[in-house]
Amino acid sequence: MSKSKIVFVCQNCGATAAKWMGKCPVCNEWNTYAEESIAQGPGPDRERDKLTGFRNNLTPPTLIGDIPNESTQRIDTLDPELNRVLGGGIVPGSIVLLGGDPGIGKSTLLLQLALNLKNKKILYVSGEESMAQISMRASRIGIKNHSCYIYTETNTQSIFKYTHELQPDLIIIDSIQTLQTSYSDSPPGSLSQLRECTSELQRLAKDSGIAVFIIGHITKEGLIAGPKVLEHIVDVVLQFEGEKHYAYRMLRTIKNRFGSTLQLGIYEMQHCGLRPVLNPSEVLLTQRDENLSGIAIASTMEGDRPLLIETQALVSPAFYGTPQRSATGFDSRRLSMLLAVLEKRVGFSFGTRDVFLNMAGGLQIEDPAVDLAIVAALLSSYEDIPVSNKSVFIGEVGLSGEVRAVSRIEQRISEAAKLGFNTIYISKYNMKIFNEDKDSLNIIPLGRVQELSEMLFSK
Ligand code: TYD
Ligand code: MG
């Protein structure tokens, strides 16, 4: 090995400096610099070309037509939700980073994947848990797989040795923060170790055609540790999220070189592992027979899938000081904007009232098409008059109170029709695009939010 050099590395953004600094000039974070040593010089790189044991000589330039096609054959994970977020299965030779809070179920998800793939050879490397703990989890999941190897190791060179010996189709690393390469002297979990280990794994994936899944913890700020550094190296970044106290877990695609981002998979954590939720709308709509005030059904697109979701609002007189505004699963600034629109354009007075808003199921909704449902729920709670539980509201609300058109209206409407809703409020600007014959549905076009309040509450 050649000599190494001491540098100071920002653990947030990866910027380097020759001396310690209190504030990072690149990302403006405080107290993020840590001392690390990096190997330098041309020597180790030569040596490291042979590192993974798979590439003996470099591949020469090849004509695009001569590249064999089977390398893009995807592996079916037998899990419809995971297939969807990956864009249709695992691409051989790809490297996937799975991030998420501790305890959310990352190890469970990937162990389940390893156990499901019965006709593939899998190497599950854990630096976090003992073999006994993993076997306990496997018996909890209750699937037997005779081609899944468990290896508790943190040194990348040892992992490569056994990879070469076993020739698996898939390697799972739990977690990248525990790995260590002999080519860096920094402690495990530091940014230069993360970067070195991830690029070694990437080299392994590309040289050998083995798919690699890496688990990464996320930092307090909700980012995968060393976010910019790692996200650039890997092919796919998935984020596993959800409220710990709800059973539902959301798997989101943040980056995907082989498919669309914005995809969402939904799971339910059960006593025997994670169960894919195949009909999410039915889960996100609470079962109720009677009409209650303050509830309206919204439609949101998560990737290419429309979901119906219940929005609940509570508007009540504020007795103490400043009225409260609280939103769960929705941006609170957007809620304030909608309240201001109702105040100014429709003449409701929220200034002396507390407002609470809740999106059912613990989902964080960013689709602006839910605005109209939120407005309906707010007005319904304000007036204490229920809206029909057979209605769905689809539309974005603009600053002057206009109801704006939203994307993919046909898909949203057919999802609502499928689930038995019969009245759908949409923007009148969506009517032009929407020309399908839907006799059984009552589709109500709206131009402004005033019309909604008149339609719902003036009987
Ligand atoms: P785990 O996969 O260890 O989380 P992570 O790797 O993201 O830290 O999951 C931990 C939680 O999941 C733990 O609280 C126990 C729970 N769990 C179940 O509810 N059912 C199960 O079948 C399994 C395996 C775990
Ligand atoms: Mg774990």
Side-chain angles (χ1 to χ4, degrees):
M1 277 181 70
S2 70
K3 62 180 189 300
S4 57
K5 181 177 124 186
I6 299 292
V7 288
F8 290 85
V9 182
C10 170
Q11 303 293 308
N12 184 53
C13 71
T16 55
K19 59 179 183 11
W20 188 84
M21 279 191 276
K23 184 183 178 189
C24 175
V26 179
C27 65
N28 293 326
E29 285 295 317
W30 287 91
N31 205 14
T32 53
Y33 274 80
E35 185 181 320
E36 292 186 3
S37 66
I38 50 167
Q40 54 168 184
D45 272 354
R46 277 285 161 76
E47 202 179 303
R48 289 178 71 180
D49 265 347
K50 289 188 247 118
L51 171 86
T52 60
F54 281 91
R55 179 153 72 173
N56 300 320
N57 47 354
L58 296 170
T59 325
T62 310
L63 274 174
I64 189 160
D66 297 344
I67 303 170
N69 228 351
E70 41 308 341
S71 60
T72 54
Q73 288 262 301
R74 293 179 184 248
I75 304 171
D76 182 5
T77 64
L78 303 179
D79 173 344
E81 302 296 291
L82 191 56
N83 276 348
R84 173 179 316 108
V85 294
L86 290 172
I90 304 170
V91 177
S94 68
I95 174 158
V96 179
L97 176 66
L98 172 69
D101 284 325
I104 202 82
K106 302 180 293 298
S107 308
T108 308
L109 181 72
L110 292 191
L111 185 62
Q112 207 166 311
L113 166 70
L115 296 175
N116 265 330
L117 291 175
K118 291 214 171 77
N119 50 359
K120 300 276 178 220
K121 203 186 265 181
I122 289 127
L123 179 62
Y124 186 104
V125 182
S126 180
E128 304 226 321
E129 286 155 303
S130 67
M131 295 224 179
Q133 279 172 309
I134 297 168
S135 126
M136 258 160 58
R137 177 175 291 135
S139 57
R140 214 171 153 182
I141 294 170
I143 309 172
K144 289 209 164 49
N145 184 347
H146 299 294
S147 59
C148 175
Y149 292 83
I150 306 291
Y151 183 39
T152 48
E153 176 57 64
T154 56
N155 184 281
T156 50
Q157 274 73 40
S158 321
I159 295 170
F160 295 146
K161 177 171 163 262
Y162 282 104
T163 305
H164 207 241
E165 223 160 83
L166 288 171
Q167 301 275 346
D169 300 290
L170 176 69
I171 302 179
I172 295 169
I173 305 286
D174 186 4
S175 64
I176 188 71
Q177 272 91 356
T178 60
L179 282 200
Q180 209 173 357
T181 169
S182 327
Y183 289 96
S184 167
D185 306 333
S186 307
S190 67
L191 206 65
S192 60
Q193 278 287 0
L194 288 180
R195 187 170 35 205
E196 290 300 319
C197 293
T198 312
S199 33
E200 284 184 15
L201 288 167
Q202 191 228 19
R203 202 181 292 217
L204 171 75
K206 299 290 172 264
D207 291 355
S208 64
I210 300 172
V212 180
F213 273 70
I214 299 176
I215 292 179
H217 295 298
I218 61 181
T219 59
K220 286 195 288 294
E221 294 76 34
L223 296 165
I224 297 167
K228 300 199 179 67
V229 186
L230 293 198
E231 289 187 9
H232 285 309
I233 304 175
V234 302
D235 297 313
V236 180
V237 180
L238 303 179
Q239 178 113 325
F240 209 27
E241 55 191 41
E243 296 281 331
K244 245 190 213 162
H245 306 289
Y246 284 97
Y248 295 108
R249 303 278 185 270
M250 263 59 76
L251 185 63
R252 278 182 201 283
T253 319
I254 293 177
K255 163 184 174 175
N256 193 351
R257 285 190 179 142
F258 320 109
S260 110
T261 53
L262 301 170
Q263 293 290 15
L264 176 74
I266 303 182
Y267 291 90
E268 185 180 5
M269 182 60 101
Q270 294 183 329
H271 63 281
C272 54
L274 289 156
R275 181 185 67 91
V277 175
L278 300 177
N279 47 356
S281 292
E282 286 174 22
V283 170
L284 298 172
L285 300 175
T286 52
Q287 317 296 310
R288 62 195 163 102
D289 300 326
E290 47 181 337
N291 282 353
L292 300 170
S293 71
I295 294 181
I297 308 298
S299 159
T300 169
M301 290 300 295
E302 295 293 339
D304 51 15
R305 198 158 55 148
L307 299 182
L308 292 184
I309 180 166
E310 192 172 286
T311 61
Q312 304 177 333
L314 179 66
V315 179
S316 68
F319 291 114
Y320 308 103
T322 323
Q324 295 189 56
R325 302 277 180 261
S326 156
T328 312
F330 189 71
D331 182 14
S332 52
R333 273 170 307 174
R334 188 140 187 110
L335 172 63
S336 306
M337 187 275 274
L338 292 175
L339 291 174
V341 168
L342 291 179
E343 186 107 34
K344 172 113 182 167
R345 310 285 172 194
V346 198
F348 284 90
S349 147
F350 287 96
T352 55
R353 287 173 163 84
D354 291 338
V355 177
F356 304 95
L357 179 74
N358 187 17
M359 309 299 279
L363 227 71
Q364 183 72 32
I365 305 295
E366 276 161 18
D367 188 347
V370 302
D371 287 356
L372 195 63
I374 289 173
V375 165
L378 289 170
L379 295 182
S380 159
S381 179
Y382 188 104
E383 298 275 10
D384 203 17
I385 301 174
V387 299
S388 155
N389 59 6
K390 290 273 169 256
S391 305
V392 179
F393 300 84
I394 310 171
E396 178 181 347
V397 174
L399 285 183
S400 50
E402 78 276 21
V403 179
R404 310 174 64 149
V406 300
S407 62
R408 311 228 198 168
I409 190 76
E410 281 99 341
Q411 253 178 296
R412 296 176 196 257
I413 290 178
S414 32
E415 172 79 2
K418 206 166 77 192
L419 289 163
F421 291 90
N422 57 23
T423 310
I424 298 168
Y425 294 85
I426 65 172
S427 161
K428 68 177 182 192
Y429 304 104
N430 265 138
M431 283 308 259
K432 293 176 198 151
I433 317 163
F434 182 70
N435 48 15
E436 216 175 302
D437 183 35
K438 295 258 186 210
D439 282 341
S440 57
L441 286 178
N442 181 16
I443 294 179
I444 303 173
L446 296 169
R448 312 182 65 80
V449 279
Q450 289 91 310
E451 296 164 28
L452 178 70
S453 90
E454 284 156 21
M455 231 171 264
L456 290 177
F457 308 116
S458 58
K459 302 248 160 68

